[in-house]
Amino acid sequence: MDGPAVFNLADLFEAVADHRGDDLAVVSSTARASYRQLDRLASCWATALAAAGVDTGDRVALMLRNHLDHVAALLGSFKLRAVPLNVNLHYTAEELRHLLADADPAVVVCEDELEPTVRSAVEQAAWGPHRPAAVRALGAFAAEAAAVAPAERRHDRDGGDGYLLYTGGTTGLPKGVEWRQEDLFFAALGGDSRVDGALGRPADALTALRHAPTRVLVACPLMHGTAQWVTLGALLSGGTVVLFTEDAFDADALLELAERERVAQLVVVGDAFAVPLADALDARPDHWSLDELVVVASGGASLATETARRLLHHLPGAVVVDGYGTSETGGHARHIHVPGASGADRTFRPDPDTGLIGFDGVVLGRDSDELGRIGRCGHIPLGYRNDPTRTAVTFPVIAGRRWALTGDLGRWRPDGSIELVGRGERTVNSGGEKVDALEVESVVRTHPAVADAMVVGVPDARFGEVVGVLVKLAPGASLSVEQLARYCRSSLARFKLPRHVAVVEHLPRTPTGKPDYRAAVSRLRKHR
């Protein structure tokens, strides 16, 4: 991150929009917008946000579904030099209060039916000396944005302008990962490191990207990093983004959309999306014409080898790719599934800035066979918002360079790939949603029937993992999984709710007295 930061996302998008003009930029269920139209709509959103009190550097919270206005609001924030941030639609009032107090946004733009929940969270958030956020329901605010004059283009932006991504991750309640836009461009949006460090403002993003324009179907929600990064990367390459806008996942509807829009790339999140797709293709193998689909990519959660095999069987002209990365590192490695590959092969091809850090704090050479922590240097975030302690742990300085550690363990393979050995044991990756076990434990332990509890991820055929709980009950108490899930529902988003509960007399411990999470997983697997 040395030298001037010149790669600003609004500048890059405007240059691409000038170049692409009337080419199709975004397709949703209700709208189709060219680059010229999307650029104008985003500028109108910038005007509306400014009228709502948003200034340079202010944060704009977006609690929205997949639609054209979500993309325009994201780009409009960049145009205004404001900092957009994602808000999960499934957050409870408690989670919202925490996020709002931490993010301190100037405005929250939310779906109309969520406005009462958001207003309640704003009123109850611990703002301290900070101002409460303005709350704007999407319907009226989008109408205002469409009616105003578009903001004039600014010439004072730079690559140091901000981007904020909230993640459940390994850090408890939602944590904001603070990025500079230039770092995000190179780490997550496809920026080519060969142009990194070029002086002067680039003419457009097309000369600075590794990939060519394509038609990308984004099946995952824009409230998550994977979908935002894919969308921005596709737009900056001059491609077309096709948004899946159904509230519930429907494999048949997604495949029909892929066929109708002739997409070349389909982006999903792990087996939670891919297994139903494979089931649909198994049931009607000749129903859809998908000859133009050449890439099925998963981000946020890896695919089971068997799932990839089933997709490859029905899509012989395509490749299936697992993208490896985190909110704290961007996308920096990939695994390409090929027919006949071993189910035990969990190797990823890393980018040049990806490496392994030994447990003694030394960077491991590629000839080492030691187990290490997977990390990335170079273009990485500034850190966690309002959390210098966690920032120091996740973003340490090693051998004079800042690193971002993923929480995963791996080792070098002789061919230069990294074998993924294990993930952080206190994080449950459920269909791409990151669930902190400690957060769930803290809620479970408040149940009057619970004396103690341990939360772990339990393997699941569709979601990869689901939340499992080992419970030690209070004397004379009883508890079912339904009762516990119902109790937790007021405090936790639905993807965090317990799916398996096993009652034990004693929680498993290691000989040193520490919680034995492997034993807990084994106990829950036997209980199912």
Side-chain angles (χ1 to χ4, degrees):
M1 297 192 297
D2 297 331
V6 300
F7 289 88
N8 176 274
L9 299 185
D11 288 345
L12 292 170
F13 171 74
E14 288 172 354
V16 174
D18 289 344
H19 182 72
R20 290 297 184 186
D22 294 326
D23 291 343
L24 189 59
V26 175
V27 175
S28 74
S29 61
T30 58
R32 303 173 78 87
S34 69
Y35 272 90
R36 195 183 319 279
Q37 291 167 330
L38 178 58
D39 183 43
R40 187 184 192 283
L41 182 58
S43 294
C44 291
W45 267 91
T47 298
L49 289 169
V54 179
D55 202 352
T56 299
D58 283 344
R59 285 154 298 284
V60 176
L62 303 176
M63 194 173 187
L64 302 172
R65 295 188 175 88
N66 285 15
H67 42 61
L68 177 62
D69 276 307
H70 195 156
V71 179
L74 189 64
L75 293 170
S77 300
F78 292 146
K79 283 173 173 280
L80 192 59
R81 301 194 71 188
V83 182
L85 64 100
N86 59 316
V87 185
N88 194 307
L89 292 162
H90 304 301
Y91 278 161
T92 64
E94 180 181 347
E95 290 163 320
L96 269 176
R97 289 194 296 271
H98 166 82
L99 184 148
L100 293 172
D102 186 69
D104 185 26
V107 64
V108 183
V109 184
C110 63
E111 298 291 342
D112 291 4
E113 74 276 13
L114 297 176
E115 183 182 11
T117 300
V118 175
R119 288 195 181 278
S120 175
V122 166
E123 292 170 0
Q124 298 177 44
W127 293 99
H130 301 160
R131 62 182 178 188
V135 179
R136 303 302 303 269
L138 175 65
F141 200 50
E144 291 178 25
V148 299
E152 294 185 3
R153 291 189 175 181
R154 301 181 64 152
H155 303 286
D156 60 343
R157 309 180 190 121
D158 63 52
D161 289 353
Y163 170 84
L164 182 57
L165 182 68
Y166 272 83
T167 175
T170 60
T171 56
L173 287 166
K175 287 291 184 183
V177 183
E178 295 186 310
W179 287 85
R180 299 188 318 162
Q181 289 182 21
E182 177 165 296
D183 293 321
L184 185 75
F185 176 69
F186 286 108
L189 307 186
D192 193 332
S193 59
R194 289 174 294 184
V195 300
D196 186 5
L199 297 178
R201 199 171 298 277
D204 60 55
L206 301 180
T207 61
L209 282 156
R210 293 192 296 263
H211 47 257
T214 191
R215 296 175 74 89
V216 181
L217 172 49
V218 181
C220 35
L222 280 169
M223 64 185 180
H224 292 311
T226 294
Q228 286 195 6
W229 295 352
V230 170
T231 296
L232 291 171
L235 291 174
L236 294 182
S237 71
T240 300
V241 176
V242 181
L243 296 175
F244 185 67
T245 56
E246 302 291 334
D247 285 340
F249 185 75
D250 184 323
D252 285 11
L254 183 65
L255 291 168
E256 288 168 8
L257 182 60
E259 178 185 44
R260 183 170 64 250
E261 296 298 335
R262 307 184 315 280
V263 300
Q265 183 174 346
L266 170 62
V267 180
V268 300
V269 181
D271 285 350
F273 288 64
V275 167
L277 286 175
D279 290 343
L281 290 168
D282 284 346
R284 296 195 286 176
D286 300 317
H287 184 73
W288 296 280
S289 177
L290 301 170
D291 293 342
E292 296 182 63
L293 181 60
V294 294
V295 177
V296 178
S298 175
S302 60
L303 299 172
T305 301
E306 174 62 15
T307 306
R309 185 199 65 76
R310 294 172 64 196
L311 293 174
L312 288 169
H313 173 73
H314 292 292
L315 304 169
V319 295
V320 176
V321 181
D322 264 326
Y324 176 80
T326 67
S327 302
E328 293 86 351
T329 60
H332 53 109
R334 63 215 49 83
H335 176 86
I336 299 177
H337 292 269
V338 296
S342 167
D345 185 13
R346 299 306 305 156
T347 61
F348 291 83
R349 285 283 175 185
D351 289 349
D353 286 336
T354 299
L356 296 176
I357 308 300
F359 296 105
D360 57 358
V362 175
V363 179
L364 299 178
R366 296 199 172 202
D367 57 347
S368 172
D369 61 357
E370 291 183 41
L371 191 65
R373 296 171 292 170
I374 301 174
R376 181 184 193 162
C377 57
H379 289 285
I380 61 174
L382 300 173
Y384 292 112
R385 179 171 173 80
N386 298 325
D387 196 340
T389 301
R390 175 61 63 177
T391 295
V393 172
T394 303
F395 302 96
V397 176
I398 300 170
R401 301 191 72 182
R402 285 185 75 245
W403 285 75
L405 301 181
T406 66
D408 295 340
L409 303 178
R411 58 167 52 90
W412 287 111
R413 296 272 293 262
D415 63 359
S417 63
I418 290 177
E419 177 187 2
L420 181 63
V421 175
R423 294 189 177 273
E425 59 191 7
R426 303 280 29 208
T427 302
V428 181
N429 188 339
S430 186
E433 298 279 11
K434 308 305 188 297
V435 181
D436 177 52
L438 292 176
E439 179 191 4
V440 180
E441 280 179 8
S442 67
V443 174
V444 169
R445 286 172 175 159
T446 64
H447 192 289
V450 174
D452 201 358
M454 181 183 295
V455 172
V456 292
V458 180
D460 182 83
R462 177 174 178 185
F463 294 99
E465 291 181 308
V466 293
V467 175
V469 187
L470 282 186
V471 172
K472 179 181 178 181
L473 294 178
S478 63
L479 186 66
S480 69
V481 63
E482 293 80 12
Q483 290 171 327
L484 184 58
R486 187 163 53 249
Y487 175 81
C488 294
R489 195 170 291 127
S490 63
S491 301
L492 298 172
R494 65 186 182 192
F495 60 84
K496 301 178 183 180
L497 298 179
R499 298 287 190 92
H500 301 286
V501 175
V503 176
V504 295
E505 290 188 14
H506 302 285
L507 297 180
R509 301 281 178 181
T510 67
T512 60
K514 294 182 179 180
D516 189 338
Y517 299 111
R518 290 185 179 180
V521 172
S522 177
R523 176 68 180 81
L524 281 159
R525 293 179 79 166
K526 293 177 181 178
H527 173 76
R528 288 188 296 173

